[in-house]
Amino acid sequence: MKKEPNTVFTREQLDEYFASYVGMEGGNPDAPVWFCDSSPHPRAVSMVAPLVPHAQASAWDAAYRHKHRDHMERWQSHQKIARIMAAARAHFFNTPLGERDWKHYFDHHLYAPHGAEFKLSLFPLPARLINQTPWSTAFRGQPELVPRQRYLELCRDGQRFAFIDRIRRLWKPKVVVCLGERHAADFVQAFALGNVRGADHILQPADLPKTLRVLEHDGTTWIICPALAGAAGLTSDVLLDAMGQYIAGWLEPGDFPALCSGADAC
């Protein structure tokens, strides 16, 4: 983490900074499908004074893709989300899902400024830092961030979770896919779903069955599902395709922007 010498951020400064789009991959907040992780992709963290909240969502535009073109092939969780979206599109339009359709979607359309999905995170700082730097080392000298539990409580009880609920009510996505059932309590708190009853749906293609927790409220459906990694996660192509087919049930033709063809400039 880079920071100016002797810059110690107050709880109020951090709370205001976190109550923004900071730590979110972004995309199109007006999209019908949101994907919500607990924490953002591992990365270097730069917290340099003054902390300026991110008032606008970022996106994977052409400049972003060019800048990160040498690293994107290693971003497996984002590739799995691209597979889900490609499968949803193919299922909705009743077209065959080509073996490389997900790759085309990932390379050209995932998290696009006017695309079909938006990616956010409950917490703004990555849970795992690059080079496996310990949290206490990365944020040494920041008493509001160490220990890590203090930071988590700031997000839950401060403005971060309130901001997430506020932008959901503003944009009203049709589906929010919450990745990682072990974070279910945080998803429920962040989206103010404490009084909403849910139901289980069993996702069982050819693989072992996976349980999805489904909640509906105020025009949005939340699907709390296993993470996109680990032995118990949604990791196989069969499960990812089935997940895409499932969320397609909430979508309409206008929810899918036109895709560029191989001959088009994407």
Side-chain angles (χ1 to χ4, degrees):
M1 184 193 75
K2 298 186 299 181
K3 61 179 184 295
E4 291 184 348
N6 304 319
T7 300
V8 177
F9 300 114
T10 67
R11 187 175 183 85
E12 291 72 23
Q13 288 173 323
L14 291 167
D15 198 25
E16 181 181 1
Y17 179 58
F18 293 158
S20 72
Y21 289 101
V22 65
M24 301 185 185
E25 295 292 340
N28 178 12
D30 197 27
V33 182
W34 285 16
F35 290 89
C36 186
D37 248 330
S38 171
S39 300
H41 191 274
R43 67 187 69 179
V45 176
S46 178
M47 292 181 62
V48 179
L51 294 178
V52 179
H54 296 190
Q56 302 294 326
S58 59
W60 286 17
D61 56 14
Y64 181 94
R65 293 176 189 279
H66 179 76
K67 178 180 179 181
H68 298 281
R69 64 190 183 281
D70 295 331
H71 306 284
M72 292 177 66
E73 65 180 20
R74 298 195 293 270
W75 295 351
Q76 294 187 16
S77 62
H78 298 311
Q79 292 173 15
K80 291 182 174 70
I81 290 175
R83 177 107 195 181
I84 291 172
M85 291 302 297
R89 185 184 184 91
H91 180 75
F92 188 89
F93 290 110
N94 195 28
T95 58
L97 179 63
E99 183 56 37
R100 303 295 290 174
D101 285 358
W102 73 266
K103 184 67 165 59
H104 179 82
Y105 197 95
F106 176 74
D107 287 342
H108 302 290
H109 301 286
L110 189 69
Y111 312 146
H114 303 288
E117 65 284 317
F118 177 72
K119 177 70 161 51
L120 67 158
S121 300
L122 294 179
F123 300 98
L125 302 178
R128 292 182 294 114
L129 305 174
I130 62 171
N131 300 324
Q132 298 183 330
T133 303
W135 183 275
S136 58
T137 300
F139 299 104
R140 182 183 293 122
Q142 297 293 340
E144 297 301 333
L145 298 178
V146 180
R148 185 168 178 268
Q149 185 62 32
R150 185 173 178 84
Y151 148 76
L152 297 176
E153 291 172 355
L154 171 61
C155 295
R156 292 179 179 124
D157 302 332
Q159 297 185 58
R160 175 68 175 193
F161 276 21
F163 173 78
I164 290 173
D165 178 45
R166 187 163 64 251
I167 61 173
R168 200 290 310 173
R169 287 186 281 110
L170 171 66
W171 295 105
K172 291 190 181 298
K174 293 181 178 179
V175 180
V176 180
V177 180
C178 300
L179 303 169
E181 68 266 75
R182 72 187 184 95
H183 304 292
D186 281 331
F187 290 128
V188 167
Q189 181 178 345
F191 290 106
L193 299 173
N195 295 322
V196 178
R197 287 191 174 185
D200 288 344
H201 174 80
I202 305 301
L203 191 71
Q204 186 172 15
D207 288 32
L208 293 174
K210 303 295 181 183
T211 301
L212 312 178
R213 188 66 175 169
V214 182
L215 304 95
E216 298 185 4
H217 174 65
D218 189 33
T220 296
T221 298
W222 286 262
I223 304 172
I224 302 176
C225 67
L228 299 179
L234 296 181
T235 55
S236 73
D237 290 348
V238 172
L239 282 169
L240 296 171
D241 292 350
M243 188 67 184
Q245 293 167 14
Y246 182 59
I247 67 174
W250 282 273
L251 305 180
E252 301 174 4
D255 293 330
F256 296 95
L259 300 183
C260 61
S261 67
D264 294 334
C266 293

